[in-house]
Amino acid sequence: NKGHYEHYMQKEIHEQPESLTTTMRGRLSRGGSSKLKTVLLGGLKDHLKTIRRSRRIVFIGCGTSYNAALASRPILEELTGIPVTMEIASDLLDRQGPIYREDTAVFVSQSGETADTLLALQYALDNGALCVGITNTVGSAIARNTHCGVHINAGAEIGVASTKAYTSQIVVMAMLALAIGGDTISNQARREAIIDGLLDLPNKVREVLKQDQEMKDLAKLLMSEQSLLVFGRGFNYATALEGALKVKEVALTHSEGILAGEMKHGPLALVDENLPIIVLATRDACFSKQQSVIQQLHARKGRLIVMCSKGDAALVSTGESCRVIEVPLVEDCLQPVINIIPLQLLAYHLTVLKGLNVDQPRNLAKSVTTQ
Ligand code: UD1
Ligand code: M6R
């Protein structure tokens, strides 16, 4: 049921304040008399000790689920100190990469039925790793076959392009980082800021969704482009990959997410006055580096669209021709949840303007159950 929306993708983008609220329900508390803010992931509580003792956390997934894990890697590393590595499920299987008993393997999948992810799960089980699922579908193969896990509770996702599941996956993995990470005096302020940030996130998502018309206008401007680059780094490298994936899978426009730190190692050669480039430059520890990337792209006459934090337009704009998207500032590790939303809206509007099928892009299936 699409309600008053025209497409499932549109509905699922706009219901993110509610889906995120459901994802967090019963799992976070502002703390009672003790004033302690806590996270409780029921599905993991008996396994946290084992996870804390593991030598490595390996994230395994495909497509958007992989991108969500990538967005969560920095906070998991920061709060737990455990090395986190990333695996695209098919590539792990192609290489028969090493997985050990001392590893915690985390399988991220909206459907819980993706063939490659499921085969990688079987492979990790055979190799003796503790296998954790992060799934949206209760009773799915991945939920059933993992040792433990967390349901993201985002509600059924119908559109082939994953939108609300992505943001709920990131929120679950931020909670996972808080749950695994020790509650030490030194990181208490950081933990509290993240929990407060999580509790306020649905409001911030509501705020950024107001940019729907602005993104539609941007889509009009970009609808006949052949290609679009998205530059990000740090917490928002994943946003660049995920934004580009949305644009290519539904709007059928070639798009590439680029790690900004790699700019001079190849991608800079593509820059000219025609190719549109989105630069993600919201406030975090990488902001000044992104400002310098903007300057260098501008020096090559790049056609820039910059996403920045509210109030920062003057710090990132390179002049008249530069478009700026201002988004609400949240805790750095949660910023990917905010920053993906204008890009989801952009992909949606590009698709509708081009007269393409939004909910069922050509050649794609919602759940890839064959290899
Ligand atoms: C559970 C209930 C929820 C109830 C809550 C009350 C279910 C599905 N959830 O939620 O309805 O409101 O208790 O305390 O009945 N699991 C995996 N792999 C996965 C995902 C989950 O093994 O990929 C396991 C978990 O380890 C857990 C169970 O499935 O044993 C349920 O997980 P989850 O729904 O996340 O647990 P709760 O949030 O505690
Ligand atoms: O159900 P899963 O999360 O395992 O699916 C993984 C990918 O197939 C999926 O995210 C795909 O990339 C989406 N169509 C992206 O929007």
Side-chain angles (χ1 to χ4, degrees), residues 142-162:
I142 291 170
R144 279 185 281 112
N145 292 302
T146 39
H147 294 119
C148 60
V150 188
H151 290 113
I152 66 169
N153 299 338
E157 192 181 61
I158 313 288
V160 165
S162 184

Side-chain angles (χ1 to χ4, degrees), residues 21-240:
T21 302
T22 320
T23 297
M24 291 185 274
R25 183 164 297 142
R27 292 168 165 173
L28 281 180
S29 73
R30 269 192 212 274
S33 53
S34 70
K35 292 253 164 55
L36 262 183
K37 300 189 173 98
T38 49
V39 175
L40 177 73
L41 296 173
L44 291 188
K45 61 178 191 314
D46 299 333
H47 301 265
L48 285 175
K49 272 196 183 138
T50 319
I51 299 175
R52 288 188 188 116
R53 277 198 309 263
S54 55
R55 288 248 228 109
R56 160 176 89 143
I57 294 170
V58 192
F59 273 128
I60 301 166
C62 305
T64 290
S65 293
Y66 174 91
N67 292 341
L70 186 66
S72 315
R73 167 154 79 164
I75 194 61
L76 200 67
E77 287 180 335
E78 178 191 325
L79 294 183
T80 70
I82 304 171
V84 180
T85 62
M86 302 294 311
E87 293 284 358
I88 300 234
S90 65
D91 188 50
L92 176 68
L93 294 166
D94 289 347
R95 293 176 2 257
Q96 297 282 295
I99 298 283
Y100 299 109
R101 298 184 62 82
E102 298 79 11
D103 288 330
T104 294
V106 182
F107 296 84
V108 187
S109 175
Q110 188 285 129
S111 63
E113 303 289 350
T114 299
D116 282 324
T117 312
L118 195 52
L119 285 165
L121 168 58
Q122 195 51 58
Y123 174 76
L125 288 169
D126 292 345
N127 285 279
L130 174 71
C131 295
V132 179
I134 296 185
T135 49
N136 194 30
T137 316
V138 177
S140 61
I142 291 170
R144 279 185 281 112
N145 292 302
T146 39
H147 294 119
C148 60
V150 188
H151 290 113
I152 66 169
N153 299 338
E157 192 181 61
I158 313 288
V160 165
S162 184
T163 52
K164 64 174 181 169
Y166 179 71
T167 49
S168 284
Q169 285 166 336
I170 295 175
V171 159
V172 161
M173 288 184 269
M175 293 193 287
L176 178 73
L178 289 162
I180 303 172
D183 204 348
T184 63
I185 303 270
S186 63
N187 68 16
Q188 204 168 324
R190 172 71 157 151
R191 293 174 60 89
E192 293 206 10
I194 296 170
I195 295 177
D196 288 339
L198 282 166
L199 291 165
D200 195 36
L201 201 54
N203 292 327
K204 294 289 166 57
V205 167
R206 221 165 267 130
E207 205 179 312
V208 73
L209 280 167
K210 290 184 186 148
Q211 307 205 3
D212 192 42
Q213 185 59 46
E214 211 179 316
M215 290 305 115
K216 190 173 176 181
D217 294 343
L218 183 60
K220 282 180 191 151
L221 207 75
L222 297 177
M223 67 178 282
S224 30
E225 296 300 333
Q226 300 288 312
S227 185
L228 172 71
L229 300 185
V230 191
F231 278 64
R233 73 195 311 147
F235 289 106
N236 288 289
Y237 171 39
T239 311

Side-chain angles (χ1 to χ4, degrees), residues 268 271-272 292-302 304 318:
L268 197 52
V271 179
D272 62 14
S292 121
V293 162
I294 290 165
Q295 287 316 319
Q296 297 180 49
L297 291 170
H298 180 57
R300 306 294 187 293
K301 303 193 172 55
L304 302 185
T318 55

